[in-house]
Amino acid sequence: MTLTVDEAGLALADPKTYADDRLLHESLALLRREAPIHRVDAPEYTPFWAVTKHEDILEVEREHQVFLNAPRPLLATTELDVMNQQRAEAGIALRTLVHMDDPDHRVFRAIGADWFRPRAMRALEPRVKELAKRYVDRMVELGGECDFAREIAVHFPLYVILSLLGLPESDFDRMLRLTQELFGGDDDEFQRGASNEEKLQVLLDFFAYFQGLTDARRQNPTDDLASAIANASIDGERLNDFDTASYYVIVATAGHDTTSATIAGGLHALIEHPAQLAQLRDAPGLMPLAVDEMIRWVTPVKEFMRTATRDYDLRDVTIRKGEAAMLSYPSANRDEDVFNDPFRFDVARDPNKHLAFGFGVHYCLGAALARIEVRAFFEELIPRLRSIELAGEPESIATTFVGGLKSLPIRYSVD
């Protein structure tokens, strides 16, 4: 079936599109070619402009004082947007770095910034490598067949980020379930319920958990990121309960779900491109390039929304004050004008100007940690890998925000 431009635009508002790589990239390629700035008027959604070219997304990101995260940082139904706005006005809404603009964004980002700087990452690297070995060893214990996405990829980065926060291992499964419910709210398998009230309950459960953590770290501070967040202050005042909990939520969720998607999707790409796997095995020095290619290939964050503070001309379109633009990162990362043969998985791709971490003031705080984790895992796995193949059909999560493979059945031999 040949898509029309309008059908391609509507596909971007359907969570199921992101579980179908063929449909997603067919839609995005059509929009890049024929309508790079396209108005989408989808049922149940407030209309928005889909921005699909790499250079246009860069321009919007650079103009962060014109295009704001608030009040619509993510694609959501009009009903959910209204509920979130009402909660924000009541002071009981999730307010992460994703939701903020300057000056709040700059001040709040600084609270966690030191924990993700190069020196801190170097100190954390031995723990990351230790956990990578633990999970490759776990593949051996599983006897040569497993669902890699569910049994390995989702747990390794979870242990890394929750160890950084200082949470007890006994709580890790709870955090995993809550994260899957939060990011998988549109997926029949992971959603707690279909109603907006049930989806919001997931956030309230996060808040309840982290309120207890905040109280504990304020009474007995320890040397971990949770203590830094709990005891942070701005202009001499501690963060309020919702801002504190929101900070935990963005670290605990974005800090592992995106990385697990990259590790699972990266392995899937290597299985589907055995010559690339062989090249990486023969030239392990390519690993830093391979890591960025996996991140480009998967692009776990599908979109962010920005709202115009004034009329702004982008290409031949005027985005009016108050209108929203969806920045499509999977589209930017397959842009034919930027990437040579963008639909080829190439572990030696250089340069690789992907936008999977965003750009500018909102560049991902945990980008260095994500790269360290992906690199550590594959540096541990590939020298020990003797054979690998699919043992079933991979499945992706239905989402319009963060996601990747939720199932990757594999058969393998690992030393």
Side-chain angles (χ1 to χ4, degrees):
M1 183 183 82
T2 302
L3 289 171
T4 66
V5 167
D6 284 342
E7 288 170 339
L10 290 172
L12 302 189
D14 184 351
K16 293 183 174 60
T17 299
Y18 297 85
D20 182 343
D21 261 4
R22 183 201 60 78
L23 175 59
L24 174 64
H25 288 297
E26 183 181 335
S27 301
L28 293 173
L30 176 61
L31 291 171
R32 284 195 303 275
R33 188 169 61 250
E34 297 191 15
I37 315 292
H38 177 67
R39 183 180 168 89
V40 179
D41 196 349
E44 300 183 20
Y45 291 84
T46 304
F48 62 89
W49 294 95
V51 183
T52 53
K53 292 289 288 182
H54 189 284
E55 67 174 302
D56 297 330
I57 291 173
L58 277 181
E59 182 172 341
V60 171
E61 297 268 35
R62 287 191 187 102
E63 296 287 351
H64 62 93
Q65 293 179 322
V66 176
F67 290 98
L68 302 185
N69 289 27
R72 193 183 180 191
L74 312 173
L75 182 65
T77 63
T78 302
E79 181 186 0
L80 189 55
D81 279 337
V82 170
M83 290 180 65
N84 287 335
Q85 187 62 32
Q86 290 171 342
R87 292 174 61 81
E89 290 168 359
I92 54 172
L94 183 69
R95 208 169 80 99
T96 72
L97 294 174
V98 168
H99 298 75
M100 292 180 182
D101 300 288
D102 284 341
D104 284 357
H105 176 265
R106 182 176 61 254
V107 175
F108 275 73
R109 185 181 174 96
I111 291 170
D114 284 346
W115 289 81
F116 295 96
R117 294 194 197 283
R119 188 198 311 185
M121 292 299 95
R122 285 193 294 272
L124 186 63
E125 199 161 358
R127 172 65 170 161
V128 175
K129 290 180 176 179
E130 172 195 324
L131 287 168
K133 183 178 185 305
R134 178 195 296 189
Y135 279 95
V136 176
D137 289 346
R138 177 65 180 148
M139 290 176 69
V140 176
E141 293 168 7
L142 290 169
E145 191 163 333
C146 72
D147 188 325
F148 181 81
R150 297 178 190 270
E151 296 177 85
I152 304 296
V154 80
H155 294 286
F156 162 57
L158 177 73
Y159 266 59
V160 173
I161 196 65
L162 297 187
S163 296
L164 183 66
L165 271 171
L167 272 59
E169 288 194 14
S170 57
D171 289 351
F172 285 11
D173 285 344
R174 181 180 180 186
M175 286 295 102
L176 173 60
R177 185 180 68 256
L178 286 171
T179 300
Q180 289 174 331
E181 290 175 340
L182 182 66
F183 288 149
D186 293 313
D187 189 276
D188 292 340
E189 180 179 352
F190 290 137
Q191 65 183 199
R192 181 179 299 188
S195 73
N196 288 327
E197 289 77 10
E198 288 168 312
K199 292 176 182 179
L200 287 171
Q201 186 59 46
V202 176
L203 278 181
L204 296 179
D205 288 352
F206 261 121
F207 284 173
Y209 175 87
F210 286 123
Q211 183 59 57
L213 181 65
T214 299
D215 293 343
R217 290 299 192 272
R218 285 178 177 171
Q219 291 176 23
N220 297 292
T222 53
D223 186 22
D224 55 34
L225 179 53
S227 289
I229 295 169
N231 294 287
S233 62
I234 295 175
D235 296 331
E237 304 249 345
R238 278 180 169 164
L239 308 188
N240 66 43
D241 291 344
F242 279 93
D243 283 347
T244 304
S246 293
Y247 215 117
Y248 288 131
V249 168
I250 194 65
V251 172
T253 56
H256 78 81
D257 206 66
T258 51
T259 309
S260 66
T262 299
I263 291 171
L267 184 64
H268 185 213
L270 291 172
I271 293 170
E272 290 198 312
H273 301 85
Q276 296 297 307
L277 174 58
Q279 184 177 357
L280 195 51
R281 187 196 308 278
D282 293 342
L286 290 174
M287 188 60 75
L289 296 178
V291 167
D292 267 301
E293 180 68 345
M294 292 177 193
I295 293 167
R296 179 190 78 90
W297 193 253
V298 176
T299 312
V301 177
K302 310 308 177 188
E303 52 84 15
F304 281 123
M305 303 289 283
R306 300 287 188 261
T307 298
T309 59
R310 61 172 174 83
D311 290 1
Y312 191 92
D313 293 332
L314 196 59
R315 289 189 183 262
D316 56 350
V317 169
T318 299
I319 299 176
R320 300 294 179 189
K321 178 180 179 179
E323 292 183 335
M326 172 204 261
L327 309 184
S328 177
Y329 298 110
S331 185
N333 288 345
R334 293 293 198 282
D335 192 333
E336 300 81 358
D337 290 339
V338 175
F339 300 96
N340 180 36
D341 199 358
F343 289 92
R344 177 170 57 91
F345 179 73
D346 179 5
V347 296
R349 186 179 293 278
D350 188 24
N352 190 339
K353 299 178 180 179
H354 71 75
L355 297 181
F357 292 124
F359 182 81
V361 298
H362 293 289
Y363 186 78
C364 176
L365 187 63
L369 177 58
R371 286 187 171 103
I372 287 171
E373 291 176 88
V374 178
R375 179 174 180 173
F377 185 83
F378 285 102
E379 284 182 340
E380 180 67 29
L381 174 65
I382 288 175
R384 299 172 60 180
L385 189 62
R386 294 293 162 258
S387 66
I388 189 165
E389 63 182 6
L390 293 178
E393 191 66 29
E395 290 182 69
S396 295
I397 191 171
T399 181
T400 58
F401 181 33
V402 172
L405 289 172
K406 64 179 179 180
S407 179
L408 182 63
I410 58 171
R411 192 175 298 113
Y412 54 88
S413 174
V414 173
D415 290 343

